[in-house]
Amino acid sequence: MADEGKSEMTLPASDDHKKYNETRRTFLKQSSLLTAVALTPPGMLQIVELEEKVDEQFESVKVTLEINGETKELSVEPRETLLDLLRERLDLTGTKKGCDYGQCGACTVHVDGQRINACLAFVIMQEGKKITTIEGLSKGATLHPMQEAFMKHDGFQCGYCTPGQIMSAVACIQEGHANSKEEIREYMSGNLCRCGAYPNIVKAIEEVKNGGAKG
Amino acid sequence: MEKASLQQIQIGDPLNRVEGQLKVTGKAKYAAEYNLSGVTFGVMVTSTIAKGRIKSMDTKLAKKAPGVLAVITHKNAPEVPGYKAAVNNEGARVYGQEFRLFYDDQIHHNYQPIALVVADTLARANEAASMVKVQYEQETHHTDISRNLDQAIQPARPEDYSRGEEDAYLTAPVKVVHEYHTPIQVHNPMETHATTAVWEADNKITVYNKTQATKISQQEIMKAFDLKEENVQAHSPFVGGAFGSSSRLWPQEMAAILGAKVVGRPVQVVLKRDQVFNMVGYRPPSRQKVGIGASAEGKLIGITHEGYGITSRYEQFTERMMDPTKSMYHCPNLNAKYRLVPLDMSTPCWTRGPGETSGSFALESAMDELAYALNMDPLSLRMKNYADKDPENELPWSSNYLKECYKQGAERFGWQKRNPTPRSMRSGEWQVGMGMASGIYKAVRDRAVARAKLLSDGSVLVQSAVADVGPGSATIFTQIAADVMGTSIEKTRFEWGDSSLPHAPGQFGSHTTASVGSAVYDVCTALKQKIQELAVNQKGSSLQGAQATNVVFENASIRLKNGTTSLTYSDFLQQQQLPSLEVIKESDGGPLLEKYSGKSFCANFVEVRVHSVTGEVRVQRVVSAVDAGKIMNHKTAQSQVYGAVVWGIGIALMEEGLIDHRYGRHVNNDLAEYHVPVHADVPDIEVILIDKEDPVIDPMGAKGIGEIPLVGFTAAIANAVYHATGQRIRNLPITPAKLIS
């Protein structure tokens, strides 16, 4: 690859946020104090402080979940989706955002073995659950047979829908919904591919279903 | 000595993609996935009116919202030096004044970006963006092509075209004349437009960008911000689909760059799905009229084709809507004109087969209608009017295997079994129909540069700034290099997708293989020559004194033709006392290209089923026969054809960007309401690759393949629907409502 080094410049995003949270609170307090005498109507400071307390409650809910075999104790905002958590805070960018509305399937992950759209799942609702993303599908250097089959059958072009297609495909077989081409097509229709790799994706799934993916 | 036991790669081999493992493991990084240290998140606020001006904008709440670092609007945006120039940064490609982000209070179209909110988390940026309150002074807008055809202008280019007698079809013994409509199509790549911008210094920037053209991206940013080439880097190895939509500088790039300037940290801007419909290009709708006349025997006498597209009020975006008509068939009399209707919309942009796709729907539907009027088989009509040179300019074809496409496609499809009478074939409740169409698309070549390095371990590294948005270019360039150098795929590495690498044209117009592939071919050939010269001329070389023409390259080593002495590349470098050996080569087509007309060709055959009660159309099977010259990689080439066919199914049956013209605003701008084909919509697709070398365009014999199978495809479906139902739908998409009304 042209520039692999750049991708490693990663700072744990959560710390960064914390820093800015603190900055903001300090700023609010200081500016409130400074301007309190001259500008702030009585009671304003109390409201600000009350808001902060409410914010704090809402801004940091503790949640424990297992992601790709690792237990994670996290502090999250209740509005945070699993997708944004994965992508923006845990640097698990293999799970893609295509629409953010549950319409494209690019963010498909497994929660307790079932495929879901991570963009429609709040993190706080995943307490205690086991989440598998594309990064956790392979066993070390050994790829999952579905990953091998996608490469062999060219089940992608741009690659952006691919992690979602693969996660969905694995679940599709596990659910028992891969017994014919027609059935695969029906049960994979929640995963859009704009490049049109559909015929190859179906071939890959059929092959894994039938037990052979070497090649 | 190392043994080169790995398999020798050849052009054409169905290799797996070189970047495949990164893609299937989620490790491939797209523009918004670098998670740089201190990265911040920019969210765009967009206009809710189509025309007018911003009367006032209240950003106070947003600025005070948690985590917000900046709210940037036209009132406080940093100056963009390039915006002051009267010339378009786009230069020659799009005529007019480009859209200038946060420049003034004018609203040119709905969803126009009017503010950028930057915050420390995405959720906070989203929340704050919703707090920006805007008041507008609204003006009357026009967004409907049909109601504004009388406002059409003749664009600066192309000129009207004619040969022979004007409107000759009118006097022909058999003639048809009809109007055809195509809707707005939105590229909707799975990755929305995204950019992460980092100012490395006051005058130095890096953008992690979604672009099909790292060099264009770099050049446009240089112009906009008055920066030196070495100070602008566009990094774009992975692009989540583009289809034409990422081939110029767009608002999300400018916003990220301006945002990063203001907050002094990296800013990442990712468009929301609804924002891509009217901000970063789309396929303009068309209104067309085609008249075709022929002799009673089916020889074409005249074609008249008029087409209208749309553009914005600030630029003229033009398409090649008339191109297939000009060159597809032997027809002595032809006139074509193309007009633009400026509307209060964002500027459209190139969309897979830009112009050809819409124009060929009209032409190839009209050919089908003519065939019925003549009581002639639609395939026979096309074969009868085969052009043995390009009728547009009388130039010989660089290569043309269209007849092979017809022949092999028809055989594989079983066209002979088709009962010519419409409504004659049935399967239960389904009416069955078969249709076909021809396609033609330019096959050209542009200047490109490549660098090749022989490294101390005997491996070869080849570099080019070219993008690979999905067609598999990185793989075939690795393959071309391996073939020329006689190295295994493991010992051949191709680097791409960064503007700091040698110049490559944008990955569009189906000319990447011909352009960059030639540069790769040429630079590897030059590297071999250099190796050869050094090996035979230099003292201490074990091949010293040998005839240069006697040197053979294979298995990552050199040897003499009849000799047994073999020298691996790594030993060669050692003998030469060189750490590596590097060659850079610029490559272009030269004057030979001007003496020929380069085109790719195809013939598509489609079977549809139409439900007799509900009007639901299902594409049952497809045979796509394509002449794209010598095939570089049968696996990725086949995928390109699949992609084009899936696009054809989408445009023909479901895709339509719908605007509520009362508000000048899209109403179906998400992926639930704007329908793209899903797994269940796509049947088995049979691809026939003629795979014959083009002797003119490039040294590999390749022609473009990404767009040609889409040209005419929508008509093949419409023609099959007619054959199934007896109903001619001239207004895409062919939805059930149109068939049961």
Side-chain angles (χ1 to χ4, degrees):
Chain A
M1 271 316 312
D3 210 339
E4 283 183 337
K6 289 223 165 70
S7 64
E8 285 158 19
M9 289 194 278
T10 309
L11 189 90
S14 48
D15 288 354
D16 208 33
H17 300 157
K18 208 170 135 200
K19 191 176 89 196
Y20 279 86
N21 286 348
E22 281 162 9
T23 310
R24 180 226 160 210
R25 291 213 172 85
T26 315
F27 171 77
L28 262 180
K29 275 182 188 153
Q30 285 171 350
S31 60
S32 298
L33 284 169
L34 284 170
T35 53
V37 182
L39 299 167
T40 317
M44 186 65 174
L45 193 57
Q46 278 168 301
I47 292 170
V48 169
E49 282 176 347
L50 182 66
E51 273 180 358
E52 271 181 56
K53 279 179 188 159
V54 175
D55 276 359
E56 270 169 36
Q57 283 302 310
F58 279 110
E59 280 173 19
S60 60
V61 178
K62 292 225 176 332
V63 60
T64 305
L65 34 83
E66 191 186 309
I67 298 177
N68 297 333
E70 261 181 66
T71 303
K72 301 258 178 196
E73 284 178 30
L74 299 159
S75 218
V76 298
E77 286 186 79
R79 64 182 169 184
E80 188 156 10
T81 63
L82 181 56
L83 178 59
D84 286 343
L85 172 80
L86 294 170
R87 286 176 64 79
E88 313 300 353
R89 284 185 59 188
L90 303 179
D91 200 23
L92 293 170
T93 51
T95 306
K96 305 301 181 192
K97 183 182 282 189
C99 69
D100 221 9
Y101 292 130
Q103 298 168 342
C104 78
C107 65
T108 306
V109 297
H110 296 174
V111 174
D112 289 342
Q114 291 209 314
R115 51 175 164 168
I116 63 148
N117 288 329
C119 72
L120 295 184
F122 288 119
V123 182
I124 54 167
M125 295 170 77
Q126 315 307 315
E127 175 66 40
K129 294 187 178 168
K130 287 184 183 179
I131 290 144
T132 307
T133 70
I134 190 73
E135 290 91 347
L137 193 63
S138 48
K139 300 249 184 307
T142 312
L143 296 186
H144 187 282
M146 193 63 78
Q147 291 170 313
E148 293 279 3
F150 265 64
M151 287 205 288
K152 177 181 163 189
H153 291 286
D154 211 29
F156 52 88
Q157 292 180 31
C158 80
Y160 198 78
C161 76
T162 314
Q165 298 278 357
I166 291 174
M167 297 310 285
S168 209
V170 169
C172 184
I173 294 178
Q174 280 165 2
E175 291 161 12
H177 288 143
N179 297 307
S180 66
K181 270 186 187 176
E182 288 67 30
E183 200 184 18
I184 292 169
R185 286 175 184 147
E186 200 62 35
Y187 280 87
M188 286 297 293
S189 280
N191 289 83
L192 305 182
C193 168
R194 193 55 164 156
C195 297
Y198 295 132
N200 289 339
I201 294 171
V202 173
K203 282 179 217 167
I205 297 173
E206 275 189 305
E207 183 173 275
V208 175
K209 166 73 171 52
N210 297 328
K214 299 284 163 249
Chain B
M1 276 225 319
E2 191 183 344
K3 202 174 168 212
S5 60
L6 294 159
Q7 198 195 342
Q8 172 60 55
I9 295 307
Q10 287 184 342
I11 289 173
D13 289 348
L15 281 188
N16 290 351
R17 287 171 198 255
V18 293
E19 81 292 8
Q21 184 147 341
L22 291 173
K23 285 178 175 172
V24 301
T25 54
K27 288 186 184 130
K29 294 252 178 223
Y30 297 80
E33 298 181 344
Y34 286 84
N35 283 335
L36 303 176
S37 173
V39 71
T40 62
F41 300 83
V43 169
M44 299 252 234
V45 179
T46 56
S47 77
T48 55
I49 65 163
K51 190 180 188 183
R53 59 174 285 269
I54 299 164
K55 202 158 69 183
S56 67
M57 226 194 234
D58 183 353
T59 58
K60 280 194 232 70
L61 260 183
K63 277 181 183 156
K64 274 193 262 174
V68 169
L69 301 167
V71 180
I72 302 167
T73 70
H74 68 280
K75 297 270 196 193
N76 64 354
E79 195 182 78
V80 178
Y83 284 173
K84 282 191 292 190
V87 292
N88 197 331
N89 283 325
E90 265 296 326
R93 291 193 304 153
V94 180
Y95 179 87
Q97 171 62 61
E98 82 215 287
F99 172 71
R100 291 173 288 188
L101 184 73
F102 309 146
Y103 182 72
D104 55 22
D105 61 0
Q106 296 300 303
I107 300 296
H108 306 280
H109 63 86
N110 228 312
Y111 275 95
Q112 176 181 317
I114 52 175
L116 179 78
V117 177
V118 185
D120 60 350
T121 75
L122 181 57
R124 287 170 157 187
N126 271 321
E127 183 186 5
S130 74
M131 295 173 177
V132 175
K133 300 289 172 242
V134 189
Q135 287 202 304
Y136 301 98
E137 218 170 76
Q138 215 169 327
E139 288 171 43
T140 311
H141 62 259
H142 301 280
T143 52
D144 188 351
I145 181 175
S146 292
R147 288 164 164 264
N148 291 282
L149 291 172
D150 58 347
Q151 302 295 311
I153 55 163
Q154 178 162 11
R157 56 174 191 271
E159 287 176 8
D160 292 350
Y161 172 84
S162 72
R163 64 176 180 252
E165 207 181 304
E166 193 138 318
D167 292 337
Y169 79 95
L170 286 170
T171 54
V174 181
K175 60 179 178 285
V176 291
V177 56
H178 291 290
E179 276 188 33
Y180 302 88
H181 295 186
T182 61
I184 289 176
Q185 188 197 16
V186 184
H187 312 76
N188 272 316
M190 293 311 299
E191 178 199 29
T192 57
H193 290 62
T195 302
T196 308
V198 190
W199 285 92
E200 317 277 1
D202 279 353
N203 61 352
K204 190 173 191 308
I205 189 162
T206 303
V207 289
Y208 302 83
N209 206 8
K210 179 184 177 76
T211 180
Q212 293 166 253
T214 59
K215 292 305 285 186
I216 292 177
S217 185
Q218 179 194 42
Q219 301 287 328
E220 291 184 356
I221 293 169
M222 280 163 53
K223 279 190 210 160
F225 292 94
D226 200 12
L227 298 172
K228 289 183 182 150
E229 182 164 355
E230 62 269 27
N231 285 349
V232 179
Q233 187 181 3
H235 184 62
S236 188
F238 292 104
V239 176
F243 316 108
S245 73
S246 294
S247 37
R248 61 179 299 192
L249 198 63
W250 287 126
Q252 98 280 350
E253 290 156 291
M254 290 300 288
I257 293 169
L258 292 174
K261 187 140 228 175
V262 171
V263 303
R265 291 166 66 179
V267 172
Q268 178 172 308
V269 178
V270 180
L271 292 191
K272 296 171 187 302
R273 180 56 63 181
D274 62 333
Q275 293 177 333
V276 306
F277 280 67
N278 193 13
M279 188 196 300
V280 286
Y282 52 90
R283 189 195 299 281
S286 76
R287 299 291 179 264
Q288 303 177 59
K289 185 176 166 186
V290 177
I292 305 191
S295 69
E297 297 75 41
K299 284 297 268 183
L300 292 182
I301 291 171
I303 301 178
T304 298
H305 191 170
E306 294 172 12
Y308 294 79
I310 71 164
T311 190
S312 63
R313 300 271 183 205
Y314 46 92
E315 285 176 314
Q316 288 183 9
F317 171 76
T318 57
E319 295 190 301
R320 300 182 294 262
M321 199 187 285
M322 300 297 135
D323 277 21
T325 304
K326 290 177 200 169
S327 299
M328 189 77 243
Y329 300 110
H330 176 79
C331 180
N333 307 296
L334 192 145
N335 50 298
K337 74 172 194 189
Y338 171 68
R339 296 291 180 266
L340 279 181
V341 181
L343 294 173
D344 300 303
M345 296 275 291
S346 63
T347 307
C349 83
W350 307 274
T351 313
R352 202 171 196 166
E356 291 89 351
T357 301
S358 310
S360 63
F361 168 66
L363 174 70
E364 290 298 296
S365 292
M367 283 295 282
D368 202 62
E369 302 206 44
L370 178 67
Y372 284 101
L374 287 160
N375 200 18
M376 192 173 174
D377 174 68
L379 175 58
S380 307
L381 173 65
R382 287 171 172 86
M383 287 169 57
K384 187 157 202 159
N385 292 286
Y386 173 83
D388 53 15
K389 59 189 167 189
D390 187 344
E392 184 187 356
N393 45 31
E394 301 285 310
L395 290 174
W397 304 113
S398 63
S399 64
N400 181 340
Y401 296 97
L402 178 60
K403 283 178 178 170
E404 282 293 303
C405 294
Y406 287 144
K407 185 167 167 287
Q408 292 187 33
E411 271 171 23
R412 187 78 62 84
F413 185 80
W415 183 256
Q416 280 69 20
K417 291 182 202 141
R418 173 182 182 266
N419 182 332
T421 313
R423 296 174 62 89
S424 61
M425 298 166 78
R426 248 188 124 84
S427 170
E429 290 186 325
W430 298 85
Q431 297 170 298
V432 178
M434 296 179 179
M436 62 83 55
S438 323
I440 183 168
Y441 189 86
K442 69 191 172 77
V444 294
R445 174 173 161 191
D446 202 351
R447 185 181 78 90
V449 185
R451 180 189 294 129
K453 272 188 201 173
L454 185 63
L455 302 174
S456 60
D457 64 352
S459 68
V460 176
L461 171 67
V462 180
Q463 297 172 313
S464 159
V466 69
D468 186 353
V469 303
S473 305
T475 305
I476 63 170
F477 297 147
T478 309
Q479 209 163 340
I480 291 168
D483 186 327
V484 178
M485 293 304 301
T487 43
S488 68
I489 205 77
E490 290 79 5
K491 286 273 185 190
T492 317
R493 198 153 59 91
F494 182 71
E495 283 185 352
W496 74 95
D498 193 292
S499 62
S500 63
L501 299 172
H503 174 88
Q507 189 181 46
F508 42 64
S510 290
H511 75 330
T512 304
T513 298
S515 309
V516 181
S518 296
V520 171
Y521 187 97
D522 289 349
V523 80
C524 289
T525 306
L527 179 61
K528 279 202 322 195
Q529 264 164 10
K530 198 157 182 181
I531 293 170
Q532 188 175 296
E533 281 164 22
L534 288 172
V536 300
N537 292 333
Q538 212 147 2
K539 274 186 187 167
S541 161
S542 52
L543 298 181
Q544 193 193 347
Q547 285 280 323
T549 48
N550 265 339
V551 178
V552 179
F553 294 77
E554 60 185 18
N555 297 326
S557 50
I558 42 177
R559 66 171 176 82
L560 292 179
K561 244 177 216 164
N562 301 315
T564 48
T565 327
S566 175
L567 185 62
T568 65
Y569 287 162
S570 56
D571 288 347
F572 158 77
L573 285 176
Q574 234 169 20
Q575 279 193 3
Q576 300 290 326
Q577 295 180 323
L578 289 170
S580 64
L581 187 60
E582 179 180 314
V583 179
I584 292 180
K585 186 104 176 119
E586 176 174 324
S587 180
D588 62 27
L592 191 59
L593 286 179
E594 285 159 26
K595 295 183 182 151
Y596 291 89
S597 170
K599 308 279 181 190
S600 291
F601 299 91
C602 75
N604 281 305
F605 297 83
V606 175
E607 181 180 315
V608 300
R609 293 183 180 212
V610 183
H611 197 273
S612 50
V613 179
T614 66
E616 181 187 359
V617 181
R618 308 289 302 168
V619 177
Q620 198 67 17
R621 64 196 178 92
V622 172
V623 173
S624 186
V626 182
D627 164 22
K630 166 90 177 154
I631 298 302
M632 299 290 99
N633 176 323
H634 279 264
K635 190 176 283 193
T636 54
Q638 179 174 276
S639 291
Q640 281 291 286
V641 182
Y642 284 167
V645 167
V646 172
W647 269 59
I649 292 172
I651 303 166
L653 299 181
M654 60 195 86
E655 291 188 43
E656 181 172 24
L658 291 167
I659 292 171
D660 184 335
H661 295 297
R662 292 172 301 171
Y663 307 104
R665 196 164 167 88
H666 282 264
V667 291
N668 64 340
N669 46 355
D670 62 55
L671 291 174
E673 301 296 324
Y674 180 96
H675 294 172
V676 301
V678 301
H679 275 280
D681 295 313
V682 178
D684 287 338
I685 299 164
E686 282 193 71
V687 177
I688 298 169
L689 301 168
I690 302 299
D691 197 16
K692 296 239 172 80
E693 276 180 33
D694 182 290
V696 175
I697 297 172
D698 55 66
M700 303 83 65
K703 299 193 277 189
I705 195 168
E707 291 166 277
I708 177 61
L710 178 57
V711 183
F713 194 88
T714 53
I717 292 185
N719 297 343
V721 168
Y722 176 76
H723 182 237
T725 65
Q727 294 189 72
R728 178 68 64 180
I729 308 297
R730 302 187 184 94
N731 181 0
L732 296 181
I734 306 170
T735 50
K738 290 174 188 166
L739 285 165
I740 58 174
S741 59

